[in-house]
């Protein structure tokens, strides 16, 4: 990971690396929601350049990924030199920054910039936010949120770069297996550590019952970390499957499967209170399965339905045992999957051309199909304007 490299190719690679991390648009939106600031960005900052890599812009500041600012006009240069955050609540009244050229140049009052530093101490850039209006960003909880997000971004980038190196160094089948195993270990360890820090902050904020704004902030953070944790799990499952072992299942008699699936449905509803979920769960016999994986199957199918279903339309969930089969079905209304796309929906990393940027990794349905296949079952999908989209998993119960 280069530190301070200004070549066009290097900067383009860094911008592309940020663009591949689907969690970053969510992080920038959370920053704006939780600080009332209307511009947030991830910037690559070297000794000589400032380059926007990802942007959330509600003030028409005008930057897009790949655009550059003159480094000496920014406070990120000073943050890089100090390797410390720079925080301003109200620039025109701040004794240190009221005469500084940066707030005057860009007509900003509130500003925060936090370094993004890799584990080897290389400096990538800054996570920053600005607004023409004052904002209380010096609050210790806001700074902690920025620092946790900056660590998370650094971890995500490090793994992206590691994956690039892995792919370029694979010269033999043995090397492929060894490096993929390293990638899985690094991904599981390095990403979960900063994510745990964010989750802890979310839990602390959620306990501040006297301040409903903090409770709301905690809920948003908790929801985001839950989604990012799911993305990490999907990547790990995908990597293991590609190593030839497939998605692992531990088959045993599941006596509480009905309760376990109802818990998944309740959790989905708690995280999406505006979505109506109509569920019929009737499992009247013991099922030999991997209960955790079946929960993951239902969770992924429900998440897909919530994402793509029509607003205001209920999602139908059915789970039952009948004729020696466990059937799990999820149906949503909304724009149907086209007949051209339907054959591809269970492929890894595949997303339709109409997908909005910043969505998932395109692994959820692939993971579902692999879970069902590992149980010796089938997963099918039908979609039409009249009936909506329905996924049906059928797994042998014994």
């Amino acid at each position: 990971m280069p530190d301070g490299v200004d070549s066009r190719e290097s900067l383009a690679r860094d911008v592309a690396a940020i663009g591949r991390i689907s969690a970053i648009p969510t992080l920038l939106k959370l920053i704006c929601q939780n600080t009332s600031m209307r511009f947030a960005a991830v910037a690559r900052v070297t000794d000589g350049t400032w380059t926007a890599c990802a942007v959330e812009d509600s003030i028409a500041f005008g930057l897009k990924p790949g655009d550059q600012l003159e480094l000496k006009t920014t406070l990120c240069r000073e943050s890089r030199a100090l390797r410390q955050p720079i925080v301003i609540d109200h620039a025109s009244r701040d004794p240190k920054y009221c005469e500084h050229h940066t707030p005057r140049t860009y007509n900003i009052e509130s500003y925060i910039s936090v370094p993004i530093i890799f584990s080897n101490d290389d400096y990538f850039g800054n996570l920053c936010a600005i607004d023409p209006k004052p904002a209380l960003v010096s609050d210790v909880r806001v700074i902690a949120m920025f620092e946790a997000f900056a660590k998370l971004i650094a971890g995500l980038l490090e793994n992206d770069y590691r994956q690039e190196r892995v792919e370029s160094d694979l010269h033999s089948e043995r090397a492929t297996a060894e490096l993929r195993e390293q990638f899985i270990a690094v991904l599981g360890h390095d990403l979960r550590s900063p994510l745990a820090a964010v989750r802890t902050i979310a839990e602390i904020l959620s306990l501040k019952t006297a301040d409903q704004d903090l409770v709301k902030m905690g809920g948003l953070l908790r929801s985001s970390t839950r989604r990012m944790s799911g993305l990490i799990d999907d990547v790990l499952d995908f990597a293991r499957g590609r190593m030839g072992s497939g998605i692992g299942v531990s088959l045993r008699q599941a006596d509480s499967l009905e309760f376990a699936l109802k818990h998944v449905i309740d959790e989905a509803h708690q995280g999406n209170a505006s979505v109506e979920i109509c569920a019929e769960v009737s499992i009247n016999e013991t099922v030999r399965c991997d209960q955790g994986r079946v929960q993951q199957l239902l969770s992924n199918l429900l998440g897909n339905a919530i994402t793509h279903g029509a607003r205001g339309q209920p999602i139908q969930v059915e789970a039952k045992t009948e004729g020696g089969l466990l059937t799990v079905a999820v149906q949503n209304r909304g724009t149907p999957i086209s007949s051209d796309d339907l054959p591809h929906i269970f492929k890894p990393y595949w997303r339709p051309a109409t997908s909005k940027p910043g969505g998932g990794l395109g692994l959820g349905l692939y993971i579902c199909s692999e879970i069902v296949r590992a149980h010796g079952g089938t997963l099918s999908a039908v979609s039409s304007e009249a009936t909506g989209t329905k996924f049906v998993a059928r797994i042998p119960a014994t």
Side-chain angles (χ1 to χ4, degrees):
M1 292 166 290
D3 187 8
V5 177
D6 289 344
S7 72
R8 181 178 299 177
E9 293 77 15
S10 176
L11 292 173
R13 187 197 67 169
D14 294 331
V15 172
I18 290 291
R20 286 193 295 270
I21 302 173
S22 64
I24 286 181
T26 301
L27 297 182
L28 296 182
K29 288 181 184 294
L30 279 170
I31 284 170
C32 291
Q33 290 170 1
N34 295 326
T35 63
S36 299
M37 300 176 83
R38 292 168 291 169
F39 179 94
V42 175
R44 176 73 168 106
V45 182
T46 71
D47 286 328
T49 60
W50 188 105
T51 307
C53 297
V55 174
E56 174 70 19
D57 184 4
S58 298
I59 57 173
F61 193 74
L63 283 178
K64 59 182 184 296
D67 287 350
Q68 294 187 313
L69 297 177
E70 189 173 355
L71 181 61
K72 66 182 181 181
T73 69
T74 76
L75 279 165
C76 289
R77 179 182 64 168
E78 298 178 25
S79 178
R80 175 183 168 86
L82 296 169
R83 301 177 83 84
Q84 293 291 331
I86 292 179
V87 182
I88 308 171
D89 291 334
H90 198 161
S92 61
R93 296 183 181 178
D94 190 288
K96 183 175 181 179
Y97 293 101
C98 61
E99 298 296 331
H100 197 282
H101 63 272
T102 295
R104 291 186 169 190
T105 299
Y106 297 110
N107 189 32
I108 57 176
E109 286 289 354
S110 51
Y111 176 92
I112 180 168
S113 183
V114 174
I116 299 170
I117 302 174
F118 294 132
S119 59
N120 66 356
D121 213 39
D122 279 354
Y123 198 104
F124 175 82
N126 289 68
L127 176 63
C128 47
I130 63 172
D131 199 279
K133 296 180 179 179
L136 184 60
V137 289
S138 60
D139 185 284
V140 64
R141 291 164 298 204
V142 173
I143 297 172
M145 177 181 70
F146 269 77
E147 290 178 334
F149 283 177
K151 288 181 182 178
L152 180 60
I153 292 169
L156 292 165
L157 276 169
E158 284 186 291
N159 281 283
D160 186 272
Y161 293 141
R162 283 192 186 97
Q163 188 175 13
E164 279 191 339
R165 290 200 302 271
V166 166
E167 292 172 352
S168 66
D169 293 337
L170 297 181
H171 300 303
S172 67
E173 185 175 344
R174 182 175 180 180
T176 301
E178 290 176 353
L179 288 170
R180 281 179 177 168
E181 287 174 359
Q182 286 181 3
F183 173 67
I184 289 173
V186 167
L187 188 70
H189 179 270
D190 287 4
L191 291 191
R192 291 189 189 282
S193 295
L195 191 60
V198 179
R199 187 183 295 114
T200 299
I201 293 170
E203 295 298 336
I204 292 172
L205 293 178
S206 298
L207 295 175
K208 304 292 184 180
T209 54
D211 190 331
Q212 288 304 305
D213 288 338
L214 291 182
V215 173
K216 182 180 178 182
M217 184 187 298
L220 287 169
L221 281 176
R222 189 163 48 193
S223 176
S224 183
T225 55
R226 185 164 50 240
R227 180 174 177 273
M228 285 186 277
S229 180
L231 292 175
I232 292 170
D233 290 340
D234 282 351
V235 171
L236 290 172
D237 283 337
F238 174 71
R240 293 189 190 103
R242 283 307 199 202
M243 288 175 66
S245 59
I247 287 189
V249 294
S250 178
L251 300 180
R252 61 188 66 185
Q253 300 301 113
D255 298 317
S256 58
L257 185 59
E258 179 173 321
F259 174 82
L261 295 184
K262 286 181 177 178
H263 178 73
V264 171
I265 295 165
D266 290 342
E267 193 174 63
H269 186 262
Q270 289 173 9
N272 303 271
S274 63
V275 178
E276 182 182 359
I277 301 175
C278 302
E280 293 184 17
V281 181
S282 178
I283 299 174
N284 50 28
E285 61 183 277
T286 299
V287 178
R288 181 173 171 77
C289 66
D290 186 321
Q291 181 170 290
R293 288 297 191 184
V294 175
Q295 286 182 292
Q296 184 182 5
L297 164 69
L298 177 57
S299 178
N300 280 6
L301 291 178
L302 259 175
N304 184 74
I306 290 168
T307 299
H308 299 289
R311 299 282 81 85
Q313 293 292 318
I315 294 170
Q316 306 289 335
V317 178
E318 183 182 29
K320 64 180 182 179
T321 50
E322 187 176 46
L325 286 176
L326 167 67
T327 301
V328 177
V330 177
Q331 182 176 11
N332 64 270
R333 299 285 179 171
T335 304
I337 303 170
S338 73
S339 57
D340 290 336
D341 289 342
L342 204 56
H344 304 288
I345 58 175
F346 297 121
K347 294 179 179 178
Y349 293 125
W350 184 87
R351 300 177 69 204
T354 55
S355 292
K356 296 179 181 179
L361 298 173
L363 289 175
L365 292 178
Y366 166 76
I367 299 296
C368 289
S369 68
E370 290 296 291
I371 291 172
V372 173
R373 185 179 66 83
H375 281 83
T378 61
L379 178 62
S380 61
V382 293
S383 189
S384 70
E385 192 74 47
T387 62
T389 299
K390 185 174 185 179
F391 290 88
V392 182
R394 294 181 176 89
I395 295 171
T398 57

